[in-house]
Amino acid sequence: MSAEHVNCLIIGSGPAGYTAAIYASRANLKPILYTGPEPGGQLMITTDVENYPGYKDGIMGPQMMEDFKAQAERFGTDIRYEVITKVDFSSHPHKVWTDSDTEIHADSVIISTGASAKWLGLENEERLATTGGGVSACAVCDGFFYKGQDVAVVGAGDTAAEEALYLSNICTKVHMVVRRDEMRASKIMQARVFKKENIIVHWNNNTKTILEEDGKVTGIELLNSKTNEETTIPVTGFFVAIGHKPNTGIFKDWLDTDETGYIITKADSSKTNVEGVFASGDAQDHVYRQAVTAAGTGCMAALDAERYLGEKGIV
Ligand code: NDP
């Protein structure tokens, strides 16, 4: 099968990828965008987005991504619901393969593969998550299944606070397991958490064990790091909200990354260490990680790609 040739290949479909697609399409780069395994990215598992400028009354995350996609399509972006599984950045054009073994030769590549939820690493955690046994990394996706039940949320960032608040409207009790004596979440989110009578915060606690019976979560065992006290809490749902890791594994042989895997870009640009390969969004940003900053860097990547292709005389 002969390889398909493209001026601008965009990998990923969060705010960064779609913004890159809008700019690249309007610049007539005729981009192809591969959505990856989670079309729409992390905003698909978010409820209200209140801090994206332009949506004055707020917007639901999935609706916002529909809007981004429709805007990219309006200018002709070719959107494909496939996953890029392998890349070879050793020569020009760059070579990329999809999960259906299509080979693509791209003059420029924009990486906007985002980041994915982290797990605690407990023995039965990921199994119970994949079998629907009661462990989840997404309250919005799975909270409904625990209606009228008691659940736990681990983490103390904005995601954990958001998940606890969401669950507090559905579940009877929400136990929030916080490993330190303070939360990392923004003050406004913390205030909302503290106001909810059915959210119980367990400070200085780590989850030791997820208890299960017949493949279903029945409770958790906590260990207090200050007092060494152990507590067993009966819950049927266990939500892990402890941050994310960048989806950059397939690029690691070619691109410079930090120790966590975030792609390193050159100062004031989206350029990576490989000519013609640009990175945007959460795949290269462990500091801001906002939809609006991801969109901003997606725009930068498309402008950088356009200039690069122009300088090379490709477009
Ligand atoms: P963060 O990295 O901000 O927070 C992760 C939390 O998980 C921390 O409180 C951390 O604890 C805790 N944690 C990490 N590992 C463990 C562990 N092994 N056991 C127990 N706890 C653990 O991630 P978030 O996903 O919350 O947020 C990411 C970014 O997205 C942030 O910038 C946030 O502001 C933003 N965001 C904004 C939202 C909004 O504006 N509506 C909504 C959601 C996220 P510790 O504090 O002790 O390190």
Side-chain angles (χ1 to χ4, degrees):
M1 201 162 57
S2 66
E4 184 178 8
H5 182 264
V6 57
N7 289 334
C8 178
L9 179 80
I10 300 168
I11 311 175
S13 55
Y18 282 136
T19 304
I22 292 163
Y23 274 77
S25 303
R26 294 187 79 253
N28 209 21
L29 302 184
K30 300 185 175 60
I32 296 178
L33 180 149
Y34 279 88
T35 61
E38 291 163 25
Q42 288 180 72
L43 278 157
M44 299 303 281
I45 54 170
T46 301
T47 47
D48 289 299
V49 180
E50 295 178 336
N51 52 11
Y52 198 92
Y55 291 106
K56 74 178 173 51
D57 300 318
I59 178 132
M60 299 302 274
Q63 182 57 51
M64 183 162 122
M65 294 326 295
E66 271 302 310
D67 291 349
F68 271 63
K69 179 161 99 57
Q71 197 171 349
E73 281 176 326
R74 182 178 151 215
F75 299 111
T77 303
D78 180 351
I79 296 172
R80 300 181 183 178
Y81 293 86
E82 279 183 78
V83 178
I84 300 296
T85 49
K86 197 171 107 181
V87 300
D88 177 348
F89 292 159
S90 62
S91 58
H92 294 264
H94 298 300
K95 296 189 186 72
V96 166
W97 288 266
T98 72
D99 53 355
S100 60
D101 263 347
T102 304
E103 182 174 336
I104 296 163
H105 292 182
D107 292 317
S108 67
V109 176
I110 294 175
I111 297 168
S112 29
T113 45
S116 295
K118 274 192 207 161
W119 299 104
L120 289 169
L122 295 168
E123 176 262 323
N124 52 356
E125 183 186 23
E126 287 197 57
R127 171 172 53 78
L128 288 167
T130 48
T131 56
V135 174
S136 169
C138 173
V140 179
C141 318
D142 302 324
F144 182 76
F145 301 121
Y146 306 94
K147 199 172 174 184
Q149 302 172 34
D150 290 358
V151 297
V153 175
V154 179
D158 279 328
T159 304
E162 197 176 68
E163 302 236 316
L165 287 165
Y166 180 82
L167 291 165
S168 70
N169 292 329
I170 302 173
C171 304
T172 310
K173 261 189 214 161
V174 179
H175 297 274
M176 206 170 163
V177 184
V178 175
R179 68 177 173 182
R180 291 186 292 137
D181 58 4
E182 60 179 351
M183 285 193 199
R184 185 183 294 270
S186 53
K187 291 285 177 257
I188 188 168
M189 295 299 276
Q190 289 193 41
R192 285 179 194 167
V193 166
F194 299 147
K195 240 172 103 178
K196 284 275 178 179
E197 281 181 2
N198 63 340
I199 300 180
I200 302 127
V201 181
H202 299 267
W203 302 101
N204 300 308
N205 270 277
N206 285 297
T207 314
K208 229 181 94 192
T209 319
I210 305 170
L211 303 169
E212 63 170 304
E213 243 175 68
D214 300 327
K216 300 275 180 202
V217 172
T218 56
I220 48 171
E221 282 179 350
L222 301 183
L223 177 65
N224 187 306
S225 59
K226 288 259 159 85
T227 62
N228 268 342
E229 189 189 339
E230 288 189 13
T231 327
T232 301
I233 301 173
V235 291
T236 49
F238 183 67
F239 292 83
V240 182
I242 59 165
H244 296 84
K245 58 173 181 296
N247 300 318
T248 54
I250 59 167
F251 310 113
K252 70 177 186 328
D253 290 342
W254 312 101
L255 300 184
D256 292 342
T257 65
D258 71 8
E259 63 210 9
T260 317
Y262 286 96
I263 296 169
I264 295 169
T265 49
K266 298 195 174 147
D268 301 326
S269 84
S270 65
K271 292 175 189 164
T272 68
N273 56 304
V274 175
E275 238 197 19
V277 178
F278 306 91
S280 59
D282 285 11
Q284 55 82 52
D285 170 24
H286 64 282
V287 179
Y288 301 105
R289 296 182 291 190
Q290 299 299 300
V292 68
T293 49
T297 54
C299 160
M300 286 165 65
L303 293 177
D304 287 341
E306 184 195 354
R307 279 176 203 148
Y308 167 78
L309 294 169
E311 281 161 14
K312 293 275 164 198
I314 294 167
V315 294

